[in-house]
Amino acid sequence: MATFVPVAQLDEQGVVDPALDLARHIQLVNGGDPDSVSQIPDQKALDLALENLDKIFAQAGEKEKEKESVEGVLNVVCWLFQRVLENNTNQADAVTLAEKLLKKITSDTATHPVLRLKMLSTIYNILEGNGTARYNTFLAIVQYAAAAGKDSLSMVSPQFEQLDTMLAEWGSDASKTRAMFQAIFDAMFKHGDSDGAHKYRLKFLTSYQGDKELESAKPQACTAVTEAIANPKVYQFDTYLQLDAVQALQNDSKNGKLYELLQLFASKDLGDFNTFYGANGSYVDGLGLKKDECVLKMRLLSLCTLASSQPQIKYTEIASCLQVAEEDVEKWAIKAITAKLLDAKMDQLNKVVIINHCTDRMFSQEQWVGLRSKLVGWKDRMKQLMVVIENTRHFQQQQLMQMQSQMQNM
């Protein structure tokens, strides 16, 4: 995050007390006589700055020189905030003071949001060591950036990648962690980043793992499941089924059908979906899901199921499973290959699709065990190979030494 560098003004006697210098500047902004202020305590000067903060921002105008001048004044405000904190070691008081400053900075999302975000970032840096105050400040940054617009959000979004580490450093409990994730996915969704919003919605839901109280997670669980089904890039759903918050939908009178629909996309085929849609079409439509898009995804998933159980599949079998004409089979195979669900080639003469590899729809415990067994076997074979290489190298060295010895005796 950007950090302001404290700036001190000079007079004929040397360095002026920043608190006094700031108070005189504010007097000038209000049309008063700056020389009428002869001394002022730090806390009073900071209170004066907060009262007039909007007027200070308003001085920036549109010219770069004006913005630089105001940024210098904001530097002094931040420096003064830091000095007041240093004179008051009570962390609770620091939290209160910081919240007061945050409220003033974030009160206007239209006037110079970039300057305001820079100032918020500086406040965050000053609060090092105070987890509660830092959490509150970062949350204010996210909420302000979201309110200020897409460009403002893009300024702070790179910091989200460090959020797990930051939350741990702040000592945030589950409630605060969820509030932060929700602020982020709301902000991203608001400005059109649906993939980013989904990512942090899943983090929000993951925070409920092992929690017995899941009622408050159900709305976001429903949204996450619906987003996953609608997303043309999502073809594996076992991650969702493993979430406690999603599992809580299973026996829920309101959302039980959504859980059933998720299970269909996780492991069933097109025929199962059509049966479900025939009985619950209005429910599926009410979720905002489009039948044609669901059918397309289910056809590709059904093809994956076929491919997982046999090395080659007849065109007629694919056509039957996908409920398409035989002449359209190659088109659907190409769609699956393009989506990287299949690695396959088509034998047009024999009318079969030859499978090299297919994506598993669900990675079960048995598959994890199988993968571990393969890795252990590979490791053992590598050890054996290294032994062979070492023995060969030793043998070659012995041969070389014998040849050298023979040459010396000639």
Side-chain angles (χ1 to χ4, degrees):
M1 290 186 176
T3 304
F4 289 132
V5 179
V7 177
Q9 303 296 323
L10 302 175
D11 66 4
E12 294 178 357
Q13 286 76 36
V15 179
V16 174
D17 181 354
L20 179 59
D21 188 64
L22 180 62
R24 286 175 172 173
H25 176 79
I26 292 173
Q27 187 75 0
L28 185 63
V29 168
N30 287 319
D33 179 10
D35 293 331
S36 64
V37 183
S38 58
Q39 59 182 359
I40 188 170
D42 290 346
Q43 182 65 64
K44 188 174 180 180
L46 183 60
D47 291 341
L48 183 64
L50 294 182
E51 291 172 9
N52 292 274
L53 199 57
D54 287 338
K55 291 182 180 179
I56 295 174
F57 278 113
Q59 296 291 309
E62 296 301 325
K63 297 179 180 179
E64 286 303 315
K65 286 186 177 180
E66 292 175 341
K67 292 179 182 178
E68 290 174 3
S69 177
V70 168
E71 193 166 334
V73 177
L74 297 175
N75 290 339
V76 178
V77 176
C78 291
W79 184 91
L80 187 58
F81 171 72
Q82 184 173 20
R83 194 158 81 169
V84 170
L85 289 183
E86 290 171 351
N87 293 330
N88 187 344
T89 57
N90 189 312
Q91 289 210 342
D93 290 342
V95 171
T96 301
L97 181 60
E99 288 179 348
K100 186 177 180 181
L101 181 54
L102 296 177
K103 185 176 181 180
K104 289 296 296 184
I105 298 172
T106 59
S107 63
D108 185 345
T109 58
T111 306
H112 301 297
V114 174
L115 282 177
R116 292 175 185 267
L117 282 171
K118 284 183 177 181
M119 192 174 185
L120 288 169
S121 298
T122 303
I123 298 305
Y124 177 89
N125 289 334
I126 289 171
L127 292 166
E128 184 176 6
N130 190 323
T132 299
R134 274 200 155 187
Y135 171 90
N136 293 342
T137 303
F138 195 82
L139 182 60
I141 289 173
V142 173
Q143 292 172 334
Y144 180 82
K150 186 175 182 178
D151 291 342
S152 295
L153 184 62
S154 66
M155 289 178 59
V156 303
S157 57
Q159 298 295 327
F160 298 164
E161 294 300 320
Q162 306 298 322
L163 192 57
D164 290 338
T165 300
M166 293 161 69
L167 286 165
E169 290 175 352
W170 300 333
S172 303
D173 60 17
S175 178
K176 285 188 173 182
T177 296
R178 292 163 188 166
M180 183 66 73
F181 285 144
Q182 183 158 7
I184 290 175
F185 68 64
D186 282 345
M188 289 184 150
F189 186 80
K190 177 180 179 181
H191 294 292
D193 186 357
S194 56
D195 288 342
H198 189 73
K199 173 183 175 180
Y200 286 94
R201 201 185 309 278
L202 289 181
K203 283 182 173 288
F204 172 89
L205 294 174
T206 301
S207 73
Y208 281 89
Q209 291 298 89
D211 199 324
K212 293 182 180 179
E213 197 291 300
L214 298 170
E215 194 65 32
S216 59
K218 287 182 180 179
Q220 296 305 330
C222 291
T223 301
V225 170
T226 305
E227 286 176 341
I229 293 173
N231 191 333
K233 294 179 288 186
V234 176
Y235 290 97
Q236 289 181 304
F237 297 89
D238 49 345
T239 300
Y240 300 87
L241 289 170
Q242 292 166 8
L243 292 171
D244 291 350
V246 172
Q247 291 176 12
L249 304 177
Q250 184 173 10
N251 299 317
D252 187 87
S253 59
K254 181 180 179 182
N255 302 301
K257 289 182 180 179
L258 180 58
Y259 187 85
E260 186 178 349
L261 182 61
L262 174 62
Q263 288 182 308
L264 288 173
F265 278 88
S267 59
K268 303 299 182 180
D269 61 21
L270 178 62
D272 295 314
F273 172 78
N274 285 336
T275 299
F276 180 87
Y277 188 86
N280 304 283
S282 59
Y283 175 78
V284 176
D285 295 341
L287 294 172
L289 298 172
K290 297 179 180 179
K291 182 184 178 183
D292 290 346
E293 293 176 357
C294 289
V295 168
L296 187 155
K297 179 177 280 193
M298 284 302 305
R299 280 185 172 137
L300 294 177
L301 291 171
S302 299
L303 183 53
C304 282
T305 299
L306 281 178
S308 66
S309 59
Q310 49 193 315
Q312 60 182 35
I313 321 168
K314 294 179 180 179
Y315 280 21
T316 52
E317 188 177 357
I318 295 174
S320 175
C321 181
L322 273 57
Q323 300 179 18
V324 296
E326 189 173 327
E327 56 265 28
D328 291 331
V329 165
E330 292 183 2
K331 178 184 73 173
W332 286 99
I334 291 172
K335 284 180 181 290
I337 293 169
T338 302
K340 298 182 179 180
L341 297 173
L342 292 183
D343 177 10
K345 59 182 179 181
M346 285 158 281
D347 183 344
Q348 295 176 319
L349 182 62
N350 294 306
K351 291 190 174 183
V352 295
V353 176
I354 301 171
I355 309 299
N356 297 319
H357 173 75
C358 76
T359 299
D360 291 309
R361 292 180 65 180
M362 295 187 70
F363 213 74
S364 64
Q365 182 64 30
E366 290 77 12
Q367 288 170 302
W368 280 114
V369 171
L371 178 60
R372 183 182 182 279
S373 178
K374 289 180 181 179
L375 290 173
V376 170
W378 176 82
K379 183 179 179 181
D380 291 341
R381 287 193 294 273
M382 286 299 297
K383 285 182 178 180
Q384 294 170 4
L385 179 61
M386 292 302 294
V387 170
V388 172
I389 292 173
E390 180 61 26
N391 290 339
T392 302
R393 186 181 67 82
H394 183 66
F395 177 73
Q396 289 175 338
Q397 285 180 336
Q398 285 183 324
Q399 283 189 318
L400 180 62
M401 290 174 66
Q402 289 177 356
M403 291 176 61
Q404 289 174 339
S405 177
Q406 291 172 357
M407 292 177 65
Q408 288 175 354
N409 294 330
M410 288 179 64

